[in-house]
Every structure is written in C-alpha cells, then in structure tokens.
C-alpha cells in the first residue's frame, strides 16, 4: 500500500480510483509524522495501543493526536480516548467521528462530523484546519460521547445487517435501529457521555449511516452472516476494518462490568462467536413479550 | 377500490398481489363500521376532520377509534389526536404509529409499532387484539409523542429524499437525518411529548425507516424533486398519501406559533412551495457557519 501511495498517489485497496492530493506524502518514518502540525491516527482500534506505544515517547503536547479509529479494545473494554490517556497521557488528544464514508469525503460530497477535544482551543484549531466547503467538522468537548458513538454503531450496524441478510424487511431493521439507539443512550449516560452528543452526528447520525447501507463494511458483514455467506468467527482475523467484530464482545464486557444490559449487542456478539444462529438471535430479540414502550 | 376489495379481497392500488383475509369486508356503510369492537381510522390527515365529523354523532366510548393517519392538518396546525378531540370528544381515542411499511406488515415480516392511548386499559386491549407473531404493538400513554413522530417524519423524509435525488451521498443524508431528529426532539418537548417516545419506535424508528427508503412515498417524492423529475407543488393534489407535502407548512406554522425554529422543515417547505430550488435549500442548510455541536 505504501508503494502505490507514494508512486501513484492512490490507495488502491481502500479507495481505488481517487487520486490523493500531491501534498500527501506516504512514509513509515514516525519522526517525520510527528513533525507535523497535527497527527490523525487512523489505525484500527485493536491495534491502537501498540501504535500509540511506539509513538508515545516522542509525542509533544504541541502536536495534537486526533484519533480516527472507531472501536472498543478487546480485553480491556477501553474506548480509544481511554487508550490514548493510558499510553500517552501528555498528548493533546482529540477524536474525530461522525457519518462519513471515505468515498463520500474523497469525492467532495457534503459531510458533517464532530471533533471532540477536552480543550476547546484544540478542537477549534483542528476545526479551522480540517474544514473545507464540503467537509464540515463541528466541535465538542464530550470526548467520551464522540468516541463511544463511533464505536458502538459498528456493533449495531452488524445487527441491522443481519436483519437485512435474513430478509426480514426494512420495517424490522428500523425497529432494531431504534432499540440499538436506546441501548447506546443508556450505556452512554452511564459512561458520562452527553445525551446531545449521542443524539447528534457522532451518535445517531453515524449509527443511521452505518446501519442502513451496504457501503458500510460492518453492515455488509452482518448481511453476509444473515444470508449464510460467511460463518461466525470466519473473517475477524482477515478483516481488521470490520471494527464491530472485536468491538461487540468488548462493548458487552464493559457493559456487564457496569451492570447494564444491552440485549441487541448481546445477540450480535452471540451470532459473531457462533453461540446463536442469526435467525435464532433475531427471533429472540423480536419476539420479546409485549409491554409498554 | 371498494369493488375489487369486495370481489377479489385485494387492494389493487396500494397493496397489489396481497390477498386480504376472507373476514375483511369492504363497506361504505358507516353504521356497519361503528358496530365493530374497534375502528381503525386510516384516512389521510387532511381529510380526517371531515371523516370524523360524519362519524362523530354515532361514536360511542365503548368503541375505540384508532387513528392511523400520519400528518398535521393544514390551516389549523393540529395533530390527528387533537382533531379527534375537537370533532368527537366523547370518543375513546388511540393512535397507531411506528416503522411499518404496509407491504412488510402484509407479508408477515416482523414489525414493531406503538399504540398510544391516554387510557392504558384501551391500549392494552388493542395491543392484545392486534398483535400477531410478527406484528408487535407496544403500548404508550404519550398520545402527543406518538402522533407527532409519525407526522413530522414525513416532512423530514422528503428532505432526506431531496438529498438522495441531488446525489449528495449517504453521509450527507445521515447528517441531515440527525439534524431532523434534533428538530423533532426540540419541537416535541415543547408540545409536551415524552423524550422516550420520540427516541423510540414511533419517533426515531419511523423517521429512520421513512427517511432512508425509496419504498417510502414521502422519501421517493423528495428524491424526484431533487432529480428535477417533478416540480414544486405539482403532485400535492393527486397524491394524498404523500402526507409530508401538506404537513410541512402545517408543521412550520405550528412551530412558528410556539417560537421554535425548524431549519430543516423550513427548507423542505420552501422547496415544496417553490420558494427555493432543492439545491439552494440544501446548500443553505449544509453550509451554515461552523460551530460547536
């Protein structure tokens, strides 16, 4: 990948057909990376701790680290913002999230995202630097809410993808999405996220995008599971960018430690680890006893 | 329509290919209708006052009237539940809403909806009567929230359809949907709706379904507007079931009377009445100054 990025200014694997600006330089030299004005850290969540570990001694507060991964760390149950706090506490951290397919951003389609940073000056500076006529970052101080929304939606996108793959219809998918959002709200409030963040771009907006489109890797993964095209556990190792696969058990573990029940996430994790078939998991979810809403 | 409903047990216009149960009898005799155990009133919102007016003297509290229309009355700005209160105050009213394409329900796909009734006994009775293995009604006492969610989502579905028709991408559509939901929450709280209702099936769930699918008449209408296939004001008279068209100005008028700003609904109404082109309306919405979320 580095080779074609350098020679052809194109990411052939993940963004084929889009010529990147000439100013974009590919390098594996971390010192060169850290000489920038800001660093966007776009490695998968499960590899973030290792990546930050190799950077941490060279990180200076003057160079903000902007976390772009969306996930929860398996084993620790930590959000990406918490991993940064543990590995490079001296860093000026920020987190970028919101409904934004790379293909839409790269093609100049209108995109609105959120930059979360505890320090409003950092968020404001990143906002000014990163914004274009079509890419609109909004600022937030709620780093937990921004990081959580991006992470959890990948799990719920797999769930909604399973509904699609099983052919249960758009009405059922919408009902499941509403229940997923209710889970996200419940979990987020316990973690200290603001309700407004979860109801905004990086929460609801990203959930809606990811959980209704086959252009989402996580939704497509769920759809294939529902259609029986892939088996539980089959692709986790080969598809690091289906962040919902490792995040599902991590989300559940964190929720259990906080005594919160997340039935949709639980059913999704059970499908992913092969404990339940997609059909059994969804039927169990959909046929709970009738009650008040 | 009445003819083929009677002779072939099929609604050829709106649900072709689905054979209705033999117990379904078509009649235009209102006395026969009101002899039932409950009446589902499924006329468009703009015609509800007239329909209820012709029923009102014969309505008895023992026969609940379940409002199935989703809209706000043009001119008065009233919700369907308020229209019932004005035309037949003695009625036992209820309102049925939630993410449920008729085609999904008719084909036995899993569907979860909400029955709102101030009297929990009525909601419970309707819940027991209407539920099947695949059609799952939940009960709510928040009639305002249930009626409002169903009405407002048609307006926002047109807005999201315009984004689709303009080819602005799924990310932009998701951002607009999140902003639409924020508007719905703000408006709903002022009207006294419960937040939980608006975040549930009849609010968020129905909004997501309607504002992401070309199977929704309102979304499809917006998409055609965005593509320039139809002109502003062209179809309102011929398409009574595109409820968002008359509801958009009604929603706005009600909001203005309450001093609430609804920028997405306002832009949508401006496109519908020809004041703004779809592109100008959306560009204006998407390029507001950057700020905190």
């Amino acid at each position: 990948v580095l080779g074609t990025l350098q020679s052809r200014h194109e990411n052939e694997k993940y963004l084929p057909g889009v010529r990147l600006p000439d100013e974009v330089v590919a390098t594996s030299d971390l010192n060169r990376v850290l000489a920038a004005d800001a660093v966007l850290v776009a490695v998968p969540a499960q590899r973030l701790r290792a990546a930050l570990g190799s950077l941490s001694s060279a990180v200076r507060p003057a160079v903000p680290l902007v976390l772009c991964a969306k996930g929860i760390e398996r084993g620790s149950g930590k959000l990406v913002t918490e991993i940064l706090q543990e590995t490079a506490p001296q860093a000026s951290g920020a987190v970028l999230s919101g409904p934004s397919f790379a293909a839409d951003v790269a093609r100049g389609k209108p995109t609105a995202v959120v930059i979360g940073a505890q320090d409003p000056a950092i968020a404001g500076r990143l906002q000014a630097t990163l914004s274009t006529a079509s890419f609109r970052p909004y600022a937030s101080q709620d780093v937990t809410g921004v990081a959580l929304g991006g992470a959890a939606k990948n799990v719920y996108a797999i769930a909604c993808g399973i509904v699609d793959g099983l052919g249960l219809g758009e009405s059922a998918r919408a009902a499941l999405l509403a229940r997923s959002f209710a889970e996200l709200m419940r979990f987020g409030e316990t973690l200290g996220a603001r309700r407004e963040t979860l109801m905004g771009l990086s929460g609801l907006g990203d959930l809606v995008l990811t959980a209704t489109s086959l252009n989402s890797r996580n939704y497509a993964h769920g759809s294939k599971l529902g259609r029986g095209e892939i088996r539980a556990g089959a692709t986790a190792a080969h598809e690091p960018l289906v962040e919902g696969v490792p995040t599902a058990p991590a989300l559940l573990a964190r929720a259990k430690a906080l005594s919160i029940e997340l039935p949709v996430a639980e059913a999704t994790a059970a499908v992913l680890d092969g404990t339940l078939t997609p059909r059994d998991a969804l039927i169990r979810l959909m046929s709970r006893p009738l009650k008040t809403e």
Side-chain angles (χ1 to χ4, degrees), chain A:
Chain A
V1 172
L2 196 63
T4 51
L5 273 174
Q6 276 171 329
S7 60
R8 300 181 41 192
H9 284 269
E10 182 178 342
N11 185 332
E12 284 186 312
K13 184 164 181 195
Y14 290 117
L15 208 55
V18 173
R19 190 181 157 83
L20 300 171
D22 286 343
E23 303 85 52
V24 173
V25 176
T27 179
S28 57
D29 179 351
L30 289 181
N31 287 322
R32 228 177 132 191
V33 168
L34 288 167
D37 295 329
V39 177
L40 303 182
V41 184
V43 298
Q46 307 306 322
R47 297 176 188 173
L48 183 62
R49 189 178 293 272
L52 291 175
S54 62
L55 286 176
S56 64
S57 61
V59 166
R60 295 169 296 125
V63 180
L65 294 192
V66 187
L67 304 174
C68 304
K70 295 174 171 181
I72 299 177
E73 190 178 39
R74 200 156 181 172
S76 75
K78 294 291 169 82
L79 300 173
V80 291
T81 43
E82 295 168 325
I83 297 170
L84 177 62
Q85 184 59 35
E86 289 177 8
T87 51
Q90 81 280 20
S92 301
V95 55
L96 177 68
S97 196
S100 50
F101 284 147
D104 285 342
V105 177
R107 287 176 178 83
K109 307 250 177 183
T111 321
V113 297
V114 182
I115 294 173
Q118 271 162 353
D119 181 346
I122 289 175
R125 195 144 50 89
L126 289 166
Q127 190 180 44
T129 307
L130 294 174
S131 69
T132 68
S134 60
F135 186 74
R136 315 291 291 171
Y138 290 76
S140 170
Q141 287 185 264
D142 179 13
V143 293
T144 300
V146 176
L148 175 63
K153 58 105 193 185
N154 285 327
V155 178
Y156 296 122
I158 294 174
C160 289
I162 293 172
V163 171
D164 175 81
L166 288 170
L168 299 180
E170 293 178 306
S171 303
R173 187 181 74 183
L176 191 65
L177 201 155
R179 292 187 51 192
S180 300
F181 180 67
E183 283 195 12
L184 172 62
M185 291 291 286
R186 214 160 56 230
F187 187 54
E189 287 187 78
T190 308
L191 283 184
R194 289 178 62 227
R195 292 171 73 99
E196 288 68 23
T197 309
L198 300 174
M199 290 194 283
L201 293 165
S202 63
L204 176 62
D206 205 0
L207 175 63
V208 165
L209 177 64
T210 313
T212 63
S213 171
L214 282 167
N215 292 320
S216 149
R217 290 188 198 90
N218 290 280
Y219 184 84
H221 186 82
S223 180
K224 283 180 203 156
L225 280 168
R227 285 199 304 274
E229 288 176 16
I230 51 176
R231 300 250 302 275
T235 58
H238 317 294
E239 280 283 9
L241 291 177
V242 185
E243 293 266 28
V245 173
T247 291
L251 175 68
L252 264 192
R254 183 80 180 251
K256 273 188 183 144
L258 295 163
S259 303
I260 304 168
E261 286 201 11
L262 304 179
V264 180
E266 198 166 343
T268 309
V271 172
L272 288 171
D273 71 14
T275 313
L276 283 177
T277 66
R279 187 164 293 277
D280 286 347
L282 267 293
I283 286 172
R284 187 177 294 196
L285 269 181
M286 297 278 180
S287 56
R288 293 187 315 163
L290 289 173
K291 50 169 200 179
T292 57
E293 195 184 24

